[in-house]
Amino acid sequence: MQNHHHTTETSHDRTLAIEAIGLKLTYANGTEAVTDVSLEIPSGECFGFLGANGAGKTTTIKMLTTLLQPTSGQITINGYDAFTESNAVRESIGYMAQETSIDPALTVRENLRFSCRAYGVPTVEREAQIDDLLELVGLSSNVDDRAQTLSGGQKKRLDAAMALVHQPPIVFLDEPTTGLDPAARTRLWEYFREINRQGTTVFLTTQYLEEADALCSNLAVILDGEIVATGSPADLKAEIGGEVIEITLANPNETAVEHVRAIIEESEVVTSDDIEAIQPTEDGLSVTSTDAREFGTDFLVRLTEADVTITGFTIRSPTLDDVFLALTDESVNDVGDQDVHSTDHHTEARE
Ligand SMILES: Nc1ncnc2c1ncn2[C@@H]1O[C@H](COP(=O)(O)OP(=O)(O)OP(=O)(O)O)[C@@H](O)[C@H]1O
C-alpha cells in the first residue's frame, strides 16, 4: 500500500505526523475530560495512548480527528492545522472508532465499497484497493461473506480495513482489541504491525499494557485527563527501577497486607529511598526497588521471623503493569514527572 505524502508550507517539523499542544476539553456538563495533553508523534511511529476507563483517551482521539473542538490547545496533523484545515486533516487520517462502522447485512466487499464511497476513493481504483486491503487484513477468503457471519476478530479487521480505504498516512485506532479473546487479539496485532510496517503512522489507544508493550515504540500514559508519563516501554520500565518482589500471602486480607507492609517499611534492611513502590496485589503485595535482588532474601527472613505465612516469593523484572500501578499510586514519589519527549520548545515556535 502506498501512502500519500502531503507537503506543507508551514514552519512545523515535517517529520511529525501528530502534534498537540496543551489540549483541554471540558464537556457541556462541566466534566473536565482532558486537562493537559501534549503530544509529538513522528511519522511512521506506532504510538500507544494508554489509560484506564474514563481517563480521556476517546476524548483526545476525537479532538485529534477533528470530531471535537478542544476547549483550548492546538493540533497539527500531517502538517495541517486541525481547525483551519480540518478537511485536509480528515483526508489524511483514518479513524477506527470503538463502536463498529460495519453494516452487518452487507458483505465484506460491500462494506468496503461503502467506505470507498464515503472517503471519495475514485471508482477506477476501488476494487484493486479493496483486494489489497483484504489481503492486508487477512480477509480475502471472506470477501463475499455477510459481515454478520464474521467472528469478533474478523469484524475488527474489517473495521480497520474500512478506516484505510483512502490510504491515509495516519490511522487512529480506538481500543481496537477490546472484547476480543487473547488469541484473536494477538492475531490482530500482526495486522496492525503490517499496516505500520507499510508506512502508516498508527495512533492506538488501549487499556491493555501488554498490547502497548507488544506494538508501540512510544507511549503516553493518561490519567484523569492528563499525561503523566511518556517514553518507550523500556524507558518507562527503566524508570520504575530494577526489580519487583512478589510476595504471595496465605491469607491476603487487608490487615495481613498492611502488616507485611509495616514490617518491610520498618526493617533496617532498606531505607524508604530504596523502595519505589509497595502495592497490594490479588494475592499479597509487590515491592519495587532497584536493589530488590540484594535485600529480597532479608525481607524473606524478616517475614518468616514475624510469623507471616508466605506461599510465594519471587523477584522479577518490572512490567508496564508495574509502571501503571506506580503512576496511579499517589504515595509514590516522582515516577510520573519524567517527560522523555518534552514538547516545550515547540510551544514557542507555534506562536
Ligand atoms: N459527551 C460527554 N459528556 C460529558 N462527559 C463525557 C462525555 N463523553 C465522555 N465524558 C466523560 O469524560 C471522561 C473521559 O471519557 P473518555 O471517553 O474520553 O475516556 P476513555 O479513556 O476513552 O475511556 P474508555 O476506556 O471508557 O473509553 C469520563 O469521565 C467520561 O465520563
Side-chain angles (χ1 to χ4, degrees), residues 27 29 31 33 52-60 98 175 207:
Y27 283 108
N29 68 358
T31 304
N53 260 319
K57 301 183 298 296
T58 300
T59 304
T60 301
Q98 254 178 63
E175 297 193 22
Q207 304 190 36

Side-chain angles (χ1 to χ4, degrees), residues 97-248:
Q98 254 178 63
E99 314 76 42
T100 182
S101 317
I102 296 171
D103 184 334
L106 299 182
T107 66
V108 168
R109 185 182 290 283
E110 286 164 348
N111 269 289
L112 286 163
R113 281 188 187 141
F114 178 83
S115 286
C116 285
R117 278 196 296 278
Y119 278 112
V121 177
T123 322
V124 291
E125 292 171 16
R126 281 182 197 168
E127 298 308 314
Q129 171 61 1
I130 287 173
D131 290 339
D132 283 354
L133 272 176
L134 287 170
E135 178 116 1
L136 177 70
V137 300
L139 288 176
S140 298
S141 56
N142 305 90
V143 59
D144 296 318
D145 294 353
R146 269 188 210 294
Q148 65 204 4
T149 68
L150 300 179
S151 71
Q154 288 171 326
K155 281 187 184 134
K156 289 285 187 186
R157 269 140 59 194
L158 175 56
D159 249 320
M162 288 171 72
L164 293 166
V165 289
H166 55 310
Q167 298 179 301
I170 307 171
V171 66
F172 291 88
L173 307 171
D174 194 358
E175 297 193 22
T177 67
T178 296
L180 297 182
D181 64 53
R185 178 175 303 151
T186 318
R187 279 200 69 192
L188 209 63
W189 291 351
E190 288 308 318
Y191 299 106
F192 296 152
R193 283 199 190 100
E194 184 56 24
I195 290 165
N196 182 239
R197 202 189 59 74
Q198 295 196 6
T200 309
T201 305
V202 176
F203 182 100
L204 169 122
T205 74
T206 183
Q207 304 190 36
Y208 303 114
L209 299 121
E210 194 198 351
E211 178 159 288
D213 208 2
L215 291 177
C216 303
S217 44
N218 268 301
L219 304 173
V221 181
I222 182 169
L223 175 71
D224 294 337
E226 192 182 338
I227 291 183
V228 291
T230 57
S232 68
D235 288 337
L236 295 184
K237 285 181 212 164
E239 191 66 25
I240 184 113
E243 270 102 18
V244 180
I245 306 174
E246 295 276 10
I247 301 167
T248 314

Side-chain angles (χ1 to χ4, degrees), residues 20-341:
I21 301 168
L23 295 187
K24 288 193 197 331
L25 189 122
T26 306
Y27 283 108
N29 68 358
T31 304
E32 297 184 345
V34 169
T35 53
D36 188 8
V37 167
S38 294
L39 298 163
E40 269 188 11
I41 304 172
S43 293
E45 190 159 292
C46 185
F47 183 86
F49 199 50
L50 194 61
N53 260 319
K57 301 183 298 296
T58 300
T59 304
T60 301
I61 236 178
K62 285 190 171 160
M63 288 191 276
L64 297 176
T65 54
T66 77
L67 299 174
L68 267 180
Q69 177 141 9
T71 308
S72 63
Q74 286 164 306
I75 299 171
T76 311
I77 302 290
N78 210 31
Y80 299 112
D81 185 281
F83 318 114
T84 60
E85 300 170 294
S86 55
N87 285 335
V89 168
R90 276 179 222 136
E91 280 165 22
S92 65
I93 61 174
Y95 172 42
M96 175 180 165
Q98 254 178 63
E99 314 76 42
T100 182
S101 317
I102 296 171
D103 184 334
L106 299 182
T107 66
V108 168
R109 185 182 290 283
E110 286 164 348
N111 269 289
L112 286 163
R113 281 188 187 141
F114 178 83
S115 286
C116 285
R117 278 196 296 278
Y119 278 112
V121 177
T123 322
V124 291
E125 292 171 16
R126 281 182 197 168
E127 298 308 314
Q129 171 61 1
I130 287 173
D131 290 339
D132 283 354
L133 272 176
L134 287 170
E135 178 116 1
L136 177 70
V137 300
L139 288 176
S140 298
S141 56
N142 305 90
V143 59
D144 296 318
D145 294 353
R146 269 188 210 294
Q148 65 204 4
T149 68
L150 300 179
S151 71
Q154 288 171 326
K155 281 187 184 134
K156 289 285 187 186
R157 269 140 59 194
L158 175 56
D159 249 320
M162 288 171 72
L164 293 166
V165 289
H166 55 310
Q167 298 179 301
I170 307 171
V171 66
F172 291 88
L173 307 171
D174 194 358
E175 297 193 22
T177 67
T178 296
L180 297 182
D181 64 53
R185 178 175 303 151
T186 318
R187 279 200 69 192
L188 209 63
W189 291 351
E190 288 308 318
Y191 299 106
F192 296 152
R193 283 199 190 100
E194 184 56 24
I195 290 165
N196 182 239
R197 202 189 59 74
Q198 295 196 6
T200 309
T201 305
V202 176
F203 182 100
L204 169 122
T205 74
T206 183
Q207 304 190 36
Y208 303 114
L209 299 121
E210 194 198 351
E211 178 159 288
D213 208 2
L215 291 177
C216 303
S217 44
N218 268 301
L219 304 173
V221 181
I222 182 169
L223 175 71
D224 294 337
E226 192 182 338
I227 291 183
V228 291
T230 57
S232 68
D235 288 337
L236 295 184
K237 285 181 212 164
E239 191 66 25
I240 184 113
E243 270 102 18
V244 180
I245 306 174
E246 295 276 10
I247 301 167
T248 314
L249 300 175
N251 183 11
N253 59 41
E254 206 176 316
T255 320
V257 169
E258 285 315 308
H259 181 51
V260 173
R261 184 197 286 270
I263 294 169
I264 291 170
E265 283 174 345
E266 285 156 24
S267 77
E268 300 105 54
V269 179
V270 290
T271 66
S272 60
D273 284 351
D274 296 323
I275 295 184
E276 301 241 13
I278 301 180
Q279 299 284 345
T281 59
E282 225 163 75
D283 47 16
L285 71 167
S286 70
V287 181
T288 306
S289 169
T290 41
D291 310 310
R293 282 191 197 276
E294 278 159 48
F295 48 69
T297 40
D298 288 320
F299 278 169
L300 192 53
V301 170
R302 300 224 169 211
L303 294 174
T304 316
E305 279 169 5
D307 277 338
V308 177
T309 314
I310 293 167
T311 55
F313 190 91
T314 53
I315 302 180
R316 60 170 176 78
S317 299
T319 64
L320 275 183
D321 279 299
D322 301 309
V323 176
F324 202 64
L325 284 171
L327 287 170
T328 51
D329 176 7
E330 296 186 352
S331 69
V332 180
N333 22 32
D334 55 3
V335 198
D337 286 348
Q338 48 123 16
D339 189 358
V340 179
H341 300 292

